[in-house]
Coordinates of all heavy atoms in Angstrom, one line a residue:
Chain A
S99 N -128.6 76.6 224.3 CA -128.6 76.7 225.8 C -129.2 75.5 226.4 O -130.2 74.9 225.9 CB -129.4 77.9 226.1 OG -129.7 78.0 227.5
V133 N -123.5 85.7 219.5 CA -123.0 87.0 220.1 C -121.6 87.4 219.6 O -121.1 88.4 220.0 CB -123.1 86.9 221.6 CG1 -124.5 86.9 222.1 CG2 -122.3 85.8 222.2
H134 N -121.1 86.6 218.7 CA -119.8 87.0 218.2 C -119.8 86.9 216.6 O -120.5 86.1 216.1 CB -118.7 86.1 218.7 CG -118.6 86.0 220.2 ND1 -118.6 87.2 221.0 CD2 -118.7 85.0 221.1 CE1 -118.7 86.8 222.3 NE2 -118.7 85.5 222.3
E146 N -113.0 76.2 224.0 CA -112.9 76.3 225.5 C -114.1 75.9 226.2 O -114.1 75.3 227.3 CB -112.4 77.7 225.8 CG -110.9 77.9 225.7 CD -110.5 79.2 226.5 OE1 -111.0 79.4 227.6 OE2 -109.7 79.9 225.9
Q545 N -142.6 87.6 244.0 CA -141.6 87.3 244.9 C -142.1 86.3 245.9 O -141.3 85.4 246.4 CB -141.1 88.6 245.6 CG -140.3 89.5 244.7 CD -140.1 90.9 245.1 OE1 -140.6 91.3 246.2 NE2 -139.5 91.7 244.3
Y551 N -140.4 87.8 236.4 CA -141.3 88.7 235.6 C -140.4 89.6 234.8 O -139.2 89.8 235.1 CB -142.2 89.5 236.6 CG -141.4 90.2 237.8 CD1 -140.9 91.4 237.7 CD2 -141.3 89.5 239.0 CE1 -140.2 92.0 238.7 CE2 -140.7 90.1 240.1 CZ -140.1 91.3 239.9 OH -139.5 91.9 241.0
Q669 N -124.2 74.6 250.8 CA -122.9 74.1 250.5 C -121.8 75.3 250.6 O -120.7 75.1 251.1 CB -122.8 73.5 249.1 CG -121.5 72.9 248.9 CD -121.5 72.1 247.6 OE1 -122.4 72.1 246.8 NE2 -120.3 71.5 247.3
K675 N -117.4 71.9 254.9 CA -117.6 71.4 253.5 C -118.2 70.0 253.6 O -117.7 69.1 252.9 CB -116.3 71.4 252.7 CG -115.7 72.8 252.5 CD -116.4 73.5 251.3 CE -116.3 75.0 251.4 NZ -117.4 75.7 252.0
Y682 N -123.9 69.9 241.2 CA -123.1 71.1 241.2 C -122.0 71.0 242.4 O -121.9 71.8 243.3 CB -123.9 72.4 241.5 CG -124.8 72.8 240.3 CD1 -126.1 72.3 240.2 CD2 -124.3 73.6 239.3 CE1 -126.9 72.6 239.1 CE2 -125.1 73.9 238.2 CZ -126.4 73.4 238.1 OH -127.2 73.7 237.0
D684 N -118.4 70.7 244.3 CA -117.2 71.5 244.3 C -116.2 70.9 243.2 O -115.6 71.6 242.4 CB -116.4 71.5 245.6 CG -117.1 72.5 246.6 OD1 -117.9 73.3 246.1 OD2 -116.7 72.5 247.8
L694 N -110.0 76.1 232.2 CA -109.8 77.4 231.5 C -108.4 77.8 231.4 O -107.6 77.6 232.3 CB -110.7 78.4 232.2 CG -112.2 78.2 232.0 CD1 -112.9 79.2 232.9 CD2 -112.6 78.4 230.6
Chain B
K20 N -108.9 87.4 230.2 CA -109.7 86.2 230.4 C -110.7 86.6 231.5 O -110.3 86.9 232.6 CB -108.8 85.0 230.8 CG -109.6 83.7 230.8 CD -108.7 82.6 231.4 CE -108.0 81.7 230.4 NZ -107.4 80.6 231.0
D35 N -128.7 84.3 227.7 CA -129.4 83.6 226.6 C -130.2 84.6 225.7 O -130.2 84.5 224.5 CB -130.3 82.5 227.1 CG -129.6 81.2 227.4 OD1 -128.4 81.1 227.2 OD2 -130.3 80.3 227.9
Q43 N -124.1 91.8 220.4 CA -122.7 91.4 220.2 C -121.9 91.9 221.4 O -122.1 93.0 221.9 CB -122.1 92.1 219.0 CG -122.8 91.6 217.7 CD -122.5 90.2 217.3 OE1 -121.4 89.7 217.4 NE2 -123.5 89.4 217.0
Y44 N -121.0 91.0 221.9 CA -120.1 91.5 223.0 C -118.7 90.7 222.9 O -118.6 89.8 222.1 CB -120.7 91.3 224.4 CG -121.2 89.9 224.7 CD1 -120.3 89.0 225.3 CD2 -122.5 89.6 224.6 CE1 -120.8 87.7 225.7 CE2 -123.0 88.3 225.0 CZ -122.2 87.4 225.5 OH -122.6 86.2 225.9
R49 N -116.1 83.6 229.9 CA -116.5 82.2 229.9 C -117.5 82.1 231.1 O -117.2 82.5 232.2 CB -115.3 81.3 230.3 CG -114.2 81.4 229.3 CD -114.5 80.7 227.9 NE -113.5 80.9 227.0 CZ -113.4 81.9 226.1 NH1 -114.3 82.9 226.1 NH2 -112.4 82.0 225.3
R58 N -124.9 79.5 245.8 CA -124.1 78.3 245.7 C -122.6 78.7 245.4 O -121.7 77.9 245.6 CB -124.6 77.4 244.5 CG -123.7 76.3 244.1 CD -123.6 75.2 245.2 NE -122.6 74.2 244.9 CZ -121.3 74.3 245.3 NH1 -120.9 75.4 246.0 NH2 -120.5 73.3 245.0
D60 N -119.2 79.7 246.1 CA -118.3 79.7 247.2 C -117.2 80.7 246.8 O -116.7 80.7 245.7 CB -117.7 78.3 247.3 CG -117.0 78.1 248.7 OD1 -116.3 79.0 249.1 OD2 -117.1 77.0 249.2
K66 N -110.0 80.6 243.1 CA -109.5 79.6 242.2 C -109.4 80.1 240.7 O -108.5 79.8 240.0 CB -110.5 78.4 242.3 CG -110.1 77.2 241.5 CD -109.1 76.4 242.3 CE -108.4 75.3 241.4 NZ -107.1 74.9 242.0
G83 N -134.5 90.2 246.0 CA -135.9 90.0 246.1 C -136.5 89.1 245.0 O -137.6 88.6 245.1
D84 N -135.7 89.0 243.9 CA -136.3 88.2 242.8 C -135.7 86.7 242.8 O -135.9 86.0 241.8 CB -135.9 88.8 241.4 CG -136.6 90.1 241.2 OD1 -137.5 90.4 242.1 OD2 -136.4 90.7 240.2
Y87 N -134.8 81.0 244.4 CA -134.7 80.2 245.6 C -134.9 81.0 246.9 O -134.3 80.8 247.9 CB -133.3 79.5 245.7 CG -133.0 78.6 244.6 CD1 -132.1 79.0 243.5 CD2 -133.6 77.3 244.5 CE1 -131.9 78.1 242.5 CE2 -133.3 76.5 243.4 CZ -132.5 76.9 242.4 OH -132.2 76.0 241.4

Side-chain angles (χ1 to χ4, degrees):
Chain A
S99 169
V133 290
H134 306 307
E146 273 197 45
Q545 287 164 6
Y551 49 87
Q669 186 175 2
K675 298 278 158 263
Y682 292 91
D684 280 351
L694 291 171
Chain B
K20 191 190 257 186
D35 276 0
Q43 299 290 313
Y44 57 85
R49 301 289 176 269
R58 169 70 189 90
D60 195 320
K66 188 79 194 161
D84 290 359
Y87 297 104

